[in-house]
Amino acid sequence: MSRPIPPAAVDGPEMLHGPLAVSRETQERLAIYVALLLRWQRAQNLVAPSTLREVWRRHVGDSIQVARLLPEARHWVDLGSGAGFPGLVTAILLMEEEAPGRVHLVESNQRKAGFLRAVIRETGCPAEVHAVRIEDLAEGFDAPVEAVSARALADLTVLCGYAEPFVARGATAIFHKGKNFREEITQASHAWDLDLVQTDSLIDPDSRLLMIRHIRPRRSSGKG
């Protein structure tokens, strides 16, 4: 088991070492992303201000874990993308592949969607922004999808509802969950039949990455 990456007072790309290491070209693209994030953060609250001093560890490094769990996946849907973690990081990592695929970023907030488009434009990463509600995208989505991601969006029960249409098509869902992950799994299991595997976070020892390959609604046993 890899040890968690320790925090730093003020961090930088040097935090990306060991299992989180990336190529020089990828690091340069991630640096463009982080610079844009810090610039746009002055006008809108993209991430919690308290996390900015550890942006490389808390956001970039945390997001790299996701793509590394499914290294063969090329076509992703990132739900409630917000500032682009993990979806934009996944798209930048995909640029290292011969057939990079595409990440579909779903973000209904127009200002955040504008930020996502700016990062795509400046980095050239293979991503597309859908400024719609998740339910609206899922209803008619017909592009290839192998993986679904989400971070800091909703509790697991709700996330399973969002992801189920994509998982039903063969995608694998990966969700970040914090210290209450056990309670969330228990609650979600009341509503959903899940094929779920937990992976320790490299960033926070109290957090987990939940990989779900099967989501099916549980039938109510009640009458009436």
Side-chain angles (χ1 to χ4, degrees):
M1 183 187 304
S2 300
R3 293 182 178 180
I5 305 299
V10 179
D11 72 356
E14 67 276 1
M15 300 302 297
L16 306 182
H17 56 80
L20 302 181
V22 298
S23 68
R24 179 178 58 82
E25 293 80 8
T26 295
Q27 183 174 300
E28 290 172 353
R29 295 184 184 108
L30 290 170
I32 293 171
Y33 176 15
V34 170
L36 285 168
L37 172 70
L38 296 177
R39 189 185 312 160
W40 282 62
Q41 178 77 10
R42 300 168 189 164
Q44 58 178 298
N45 192 36
L46 293 168
V47 298
S50 60
T51 66
L52 288 176
R53 292 174 67 86
E54 297 180 54
V55 64
W56 283 90
R57 173 180 172 272
R58 290 280 297 273
H59 296 296
V60 178
D62 195 33
S63 296
I64 288 174
Q65 300 182 89
V66 175
R68 294 282 161 83
L69 282 177
L70 287 177
E72 303 302 319
R74 297 291 181 269
H75 302 280
W76 291 72
V77 173
D78 187 57
L79 306 176
S81 297
F85 302 111
L88 279 176
V89 174
T90 298
I92 291 172
L93 290 174
L94 286 177
M95 297 178 76
E96 298 181 351
E97 308 296 334
E98 292 184 7
R102 182 164 293 268
V103 178
H104 296 271
L105 306 167
V106 190
E107 176 52 61
S108 61
N109 182 293
Q110 295 295 330
R111 296 184 69 187
K112 291 179 179 178
F115 168 73
L116 298 173
R117 292 190 181 100
V119 177
I120 294 169
R121 184 170 59 251
E122 294 298 320
T123 62
C125 67
E128 178 179 349
V129 179
H130 302 268
V132 298
R133 297 169 67 246
I134 295 169
E135 301 91 331
D136 294 338
L137 176 80
E139 185 174 341
F141 190 78
D142 59 1
V145 56
E146 299 166 280
V148 181
S149 58
R151 180 174 181 260
L153 175 62
D155 65 46
L156 185 59
T157 302
V158 174
L159 286 177
C160 287
Y162 289 153
E164 189 274 335
F166 305 104
V167 174
R169 295 175 50 189
T172 298
I174 300 181
F175 301 137
H176 289 77
K177 282 296 161 188
K179 61 183 180 180
N180 295 324
F181 70 92
R182 294 181 183 85
E183 290 84 351
E184 290 200 36
I185 292 173
T186 298
Q187 290 299 319
S189 297
H190 294 323
W192 303 97
D193 176 23
L194 303 174
D195 177 2
L196 183 151
V197 176
Q198 304 175 27
T199 299
D200 292 347
S201 170
L202 295 174
I203 304 302
D204 181 356
D206 294 327
S207 297
R208 297 293 185 275
L209 296 176
L210 307 182
M211 183 182 298
I212 306 175
R213 299 185 184 276
H214 170 93
I215 301 174
R216 183 172 298 173
R218 287 194 181 276
R219 293 183 178 180
S220 173
S221 60
K223 296 182 180 179

